[in-house]
Structures are given as C-alpha cells and as structure tokens.
Amino acid sequence: MALVDRLDHIVLTVRDIEATCAFYSNVLGMRPVVFDGDHWALHFGSQKINLHRTGHEFEPKAERATPGAADLCFITLTQMDVVVAHLQAHQVRVIEGPGPQVGAIGQLTSVYFHDPDGNLIEISNYDQPNMVTESCNARSRESGAQ
C-alpha cells in the first residue's frame, strides 16, 4: 500500500521574498503568486514552493527553518547546453556540471548553482526524455489497478 503519491509543495525559508521571487522568476521561469493575502509562493508545472521570510514564518513550521539549508533538484526538458547558456546570461555561477547523476527514475544530466540564500539548486534532464512519460503512465496504471 502506497501512502504517498507525489509531492505537492515545499516551503523555503528565505531572507528576502522579493529577491527570491526575482531570482526564481527570471532564472527558472517560476511564477510568483500571492495567496491568503500575504503568503507568497512560486508556481511551476503542477507544483509550488511556499516562501516564508526568516523570523516571520507561518505556523506550523520546521523546527529549524533556516535560509540556505535546502538542496533541490528540478527537472527540465530543455537541453543542458541551453540551460547553461541561460544561467550564464543571468550571471548565475555554475558550481558543478553538467554531469551525470541518478534521479528518481533513471540517469540524469545535471548542473548545480546556488540561489540568493545559498540553497543548492540542481537543474537536470533525463538522459532518456521518454522516461518521465513512461513513469507517469506506469503510475497511472498502478493507481487504476488498486
């Protein structure tokens, strides 16, 4: 029995909401949105990253909500040379890659850099792009069989 199906959202504690929104919007194409009046999030695909400003986190929260403590991997369908050129155009320093890694469903090619708070960001694409589609189709078949 599987209790968890997928990730819906994560929370990042950040020093500066505006700087974080600008970085993730300009560099990664995420869409900043406000919800519940004063809560900020970054939307992409069918996921979101909720943002908490350090010292002003919303309850409940992590025991040690700290800027710069996250290590996140995002999947792209964009060719890695285009990703690297895009990062360079935005003066983002690639600290490692592109190089091989292992993801949740297979081999990846990844680059690593830091966001404004020092979180480690990994942008990856699967070496066999149809793996993502195949994985989603298999999950759908499993769900239908239960």
Side-chain angles (χ1 to χ4, degrees):
M1 168 185 12
L3 296 178
V4 176
D5 179 57
R6 66 184 177 274
L7 185 68
D8 181 79
H9 70 276
I10 61 168
V11 176
L12 282 181
T13 302
V14 302
R15 290 179 187 89
D16 183 330
I17 298 281
E18 293 78 19
T20 299
C21 286
F23 179 85
Y24 282 84
S25 175
N26 295 332
V27 176
L28 299 179
M30 294 182 186
R31 185 172 45 91
V33 296
V34 177
F35 65 101
D36 289 343
D38 61 348
H39 292 61
W40 281 89
L42 299 162
H43 281 253
F44 60 102
S46 59
Q47 293 82 39
K48 70 175 181 166
I49 300 172
N50 288 341
L51 302 175
H52 290 185
R53 188 164 55 95
T54 189
H56 302 276
E57 298 88 357
F58 299 102
E59 295 292 340
K61 66 179 188 297
E63 284 190 33
R64 288 178 290 283
T66 306
D71 182 341
L72 307 171
C73 178
F74 298 104
I75 301 300
T76 183
L77 298 178
T78 304
Q79 294 294 320
M80 199 50 63
D81 59 338
V82 175
V83 170
V84 171
H86 177 77
L87 294 171
Q88 291 171 341
H90 284 88
Q91 289 79 46
V92 174
R93 185 175 70 85
V94 172
I95 59 173
E96 190 174 308
Q101 296 296 328
V102 177
I105 60 172
Q107 290 295 122
L108 300 167
T109 299
S110 301
V111 296
Y112 294 86
F113 54 93
H114 290 112
D115 76 359
D117 285 297
N119 294 302
L120 182 63
I121 306 300
E122 177 182 357
I123 301 295
S124 305
N125 57 26
Y126 278 95
D127 294 347
Q128 297 176 352
N130 63 345
M131 290 180 74
V132 175
T133 303
E134 289 171 7
S135 175
C136 290
N137 289 342
R139 187 172 47 124
S140 293
R141 285 191 300 273
E142 289 171 7
S143 296
Q146 293 178 358

